[in-house]
Amino acid sequence: MPEPQSKFSVRRCLTFATGLLECLCFAGAVFGWAALVFVLKEDRYFSFLCVNGTGVNGTQTLDCSAQDEQFSLIFTIASFMNNFLTLPNGFLFDRFGTTVTRLYGIFLYTMGTLMVAFSSSALAYLLFPALSFLAVGGILLLMTNMQVGNLFGSRRSTIITLYNGAFDSSSALFLIVKLLHEIGVSLRAAFLFLSACSVIHILRTFFLLPRNLIPYPLPDRYTYGVSCGKSVTASAEVAANGEALPAAEETPLTNNAPVKQEKTFRECLLSRFFLWHLLWLSVMQLRHYLFIGTLNPMLQRLTGGQPSLVSQYTNAFAITQLCGVLCAPWNGLIMDRHKGKPRAAGETEQEADLRATVLSLFLTALQCVLFSLCASTPYLPLQYLTFILQVLNRSFLYGGNAAFISVAFPSCHFGKLYGLVMALSAVFSLLQYPCFALVKGPLGGDPLYVNVGLTLLSVLAFIHPVFVYMHCRNLASERAKSKASS
């Protein structure tokens, strides 16, 4: 017997709420790297790379640029792995489903937290695999949670963007670690606690998520999770006429609905939608990664190396990251604003969804240019505005990325396409390390020219919303001609 509808609603609400907490408290912790670097420097990680130097007035100074470069390299590798391994992880998700993918992600995340916990100044190189494990495990938690939007059809994009905003906000986790460290809680104790929290992720995997994937559109009487000691995921249901229906995840909306011919993965991959979307994501992501990876040395330069000011601005940056979960739903609401409204004659739901993404894509590109301009200005108080624009743009960027892929391409290819676009953008993001080396070397620590170049590069992101707008306008024009001729 199927469970009562009220029980469905409670289970779905619990799935949504616990998924939001999981993304908010754990998934994107690696992007709070700037706050953790402050702690690691206090614990003398890579301190052997600091050397005595001579200042402009002939005074002795401590040159820690090699230490900064090492920390930047750790973040570069972790952010690359975070995105690049999303490709095989996307195939894993589409092929083996939610449970297998999450157990793999939880294993990696737990290994990462344990490695940080047992690292020390003498074992500082453990940070290289540790941060990569945290990054890959975290993105797997996000990937398996984004499908929860399929349970709430009319608010699907809002929930996808909300989860991505929570992922952004979870970077504040390392701020909490930093604040606890300042009152005497060791790095080891903090990360052992995070390791123990993996038990919660495992329980949620079995009780509040399906074994396979959540389909879209959602079949009637769809069930999932474990109930009364047995799995109800994809359980066979009995129709009113007594005939057995297919498993819940395969139940069509109507028995006589025409089968829609979906695009193949190859067709999706070679489409201009995918190519322009890849460019849109790559240029903005590079800007964000370079900003996060070089935030600590940038603050050191703008504050004249005053530890109290560096700490103050680092805390301000980490606190603004908490606002990602508040910013991201606005992007989802922009994309879902047409839901429930009558469509134009002959317009499909996918066309309406696609048209609604244009404003979101345009606003995201505009935010990135404004953020890059502020980040390029060497004026310390302006960095508060830079932090606000950065978290706003980042929440729009990643939420909009996932939502656009779910709208523009068949849901059966979501994991593969999401993984591929993240992997290819990761290759592009490797440019951050030569950019950092360029600033530290030939430019003498002044990032102005690199920032100006990245700002000009960010302008290329406007191509994507313009292309989608032209595509939607052409479809509307074809419908009008077809209607006139008939």
Side-chain angles (χ1 to χ4, degrees):
M1 289 289 292
E3 293 177 88
Q5 189 62 38
S6 60
K7 199 167 183 179
F8 284 172
S9 300
V10 171
R11 189 189 296 272
R12 289 178 186 180
C13 288
L14 280 173
T15 299
F16 165 70
T18 54
L20 185 63
L21 286 174
E22 187 173 80
C23 290
L24 182 62
C25 298
F26 301 97
V30 70
F31 293 102
W33 178 239
L36 189 62
V37 165
F38 195 88
V39 176
L40 296 172
K41 284 187 173 182
E42 286 195 344
D43 285 355
R44 301 187 59 78
Y45 281 66
F46 300 114
S47 59
F48 64 90
L49 295 173
C50 293
V51 295
N52 291 321
T54 305
V56 290
N57 300 324
T59 55
Q60 289 293 313
T61 59
L62 193 63
D63 181 9
C64 291
S65 58
Q67 183 190 38
D68 289 335
E69 191 168 344
Q70 201 73 5
F71 284 129
S72 178
L73 181 60
I74 291 171
F75 181 75
T76 299
I77 293 172
S79 57
F80 172 77
M81 299 297 283
N82 171 74
N83 285 0
F84 188 76
L85 290 185
T86 309
L87 173 59
N89 290 340
F91 279 90
L92 176 74
F93 184 41
D94 285 346
R95 175 66 180 85
F96 294 103
T98 305
T99 300
V100 171
T101 307
R102 280 183 62 83
L103 291 176
Y104 170 57
I106 293 166
F107 168 76
L108 291 178
Y109 196 91
T110 308
M111 286 295 294
T113 53
L114 287 173
M115 282 184 174
V116 177
F118 290 104
S119 68
S120 64
S121 58
L123 296 172
Y125 286 101
L126 276 178
L127 292 176
F128 281 92
L131 263 289
S132 295
F133 284 170
L134 281 173
V136 178
I139 199 70
L140 283 170
L141 294 179
L142 172 65
M143 185 188 291
T144 54
N145 275 314
M146 284 192 292
Q147 61 178 330
V148 173
N150 294 346
L151 296 174
F152 304 88
S154 63
R155 290 289 172 259
R156 185 184 179 207
S157 294
T158 303
I159 289 174
I160 290 174
T161 54
L162 180 62
Y163 275 5
N164 277 270
F167 178 84
D168 292 339
S169 293
S170 66
S171 58
L173 177 65
F174 284 170
L175 169 65
I176 297 171
V177 172
K178 175 180 178 290
L179 296 176
L180 290 173
H181 189 268
E182 289 173 355
I183 61 172
V185 178
S186 68
L187 197 65
R188 176 168 297 184
F191 276 86
L192 284 176
F193 175 77
L194 291 176
S195 302
C197 288
S198 295
V199 174
I200 301 171
H201 306 322
I202 293 172
L203 291 174
R204 184 169 177 272
T205 299
F206 288 108
F207 288 94
L208 290 175
L209 283 168
R211 181 170 52 84
N212 296 311
L213 306 177
I214 300 176
Y216 185 81
L218 202 66
D220 295 332
R221 302 186 300 280
Y222 175 75
T223 59
Y224 63 92
V226 174
S227 180
C228 299
K230 65 175 183 178
S231 173
V232 295
T233 301
S235 58
E237 297 178 353
V238 179
N241 60 7
E243 295 179 1
L245 292 174
E249 293 190 12
E250 299 171 1
T251 306
L253 291 179
T254 57
N255 291 333
N256 56 0
V259 177
K260 181 183 175 183
Q261 186 65 37
E262 299 282 18
K263 287 183 178 180
T264 65
F265 176 66
R266 178 184 171 83
E267 288 172 334
C268 295
L269 181 61
L270 297 178
S271 68
R272 280 185 280 185
F273 271 160
F274 182 82
L275 296 176
W276 290 128
H277 186 67
L278 175 62
L279 175 68
W280 177 85
L281 176 66
S282 297
V283 296
M284 289 191 280
Q285 180 173 262
L286 175 62
R287 187 68 191 96
H288 282 273
Y289 280 3
L290 189 67
F291 178 76
I292 294 171
T294 60
L295 179 61
N296 188 267
M298 181 194 80
L299 292 177
Q300 292 278 359
R301 185 175 58 85
L302 292 180
T303 60
Q306 298 180 44
S308 59
L309 271 179
V310 173
S311 180
Q312 175 186 325
Y313 276 84
T314 301
N315 290 351
F317 170 74
I319 290 168
T320 56
Q321 300 307 297
L322 285 169
C323 299
V325 71
L326 304 177
C327 302
W330 292 104
N331 194 18
L333 291 171
I334 289 171
M335 301 181 81
D336 284 336
R337 67 188 187 280
H338 66 288
K339 299 285 188 182
K341 297 179 181 178
R343 298 193 296 269
E347 184 181 43
T348 65
E349 183 179 2
Q350 187 193 25
E351 288 175 29
D353 289 345
L354 203 56
R355 180 166 44 82
T357 65
V358 174
L359 180 59
S360 167
L361 296 171
F362 176 81
L363 288 176
T364 306
L366 180 62
Q367 290 163 3
C368 185
V369 171
L370 293 175
F371 151 63
S372 190
L373 285 171
C374 290
S376 303
T377 307
Y379 180 58
L380 187 61
L382 185 65
Q383 300 316 306
Y384 287 121
L385 177 60
T386 304
F387 298 160
I388 293 169
L389 287 171
Q390 189 269 342
V391 72
L392 177 65
N393 183 233
R394 190 158 172 266
S395 61
F396 266 59
L397 176 64
Y398 289 108
N401 169 47
F404 179 81
I405 292 172
S406 71
V407 163
F409 304 106
S411 60
C412 59
H413 301 313
F414 175 80
K416 295 185 286 291
L417 289 171
Y418 180 78
L420 186 60
V421 78
M422 295 296 279
L424 293 175
S425 66
V427 175
F428 191 80
S429 72
L430 287 176
L431 289 173
Q432 64 182 297
Y433 190 70
C435 287
F436 182 81
L438 181 64
V439 171
K440 285 292 181 182
L443 296 179
D446 185 0
L448 178 62
Y449 293 111
V450 169
N451 285 333
V452 170
L454 289 174
T455 302
L456 294 175
L457 191 65
S458 300
V459 175
L460 294 176
F462 285 104
I463 296 174
H464 187 33
V466 170
F467 177 76
V468 176
Y469 171 76
M470 296 299 294
H471 174 81
C472 293
R473 195 175 73 167
N474 289 340
L475 289 177
S477 178
E478 288 173 10
R479 281 198 309 272
K481 288 179 182 177
S482 176
K483 186 176 179 181
S485 63
S486 61

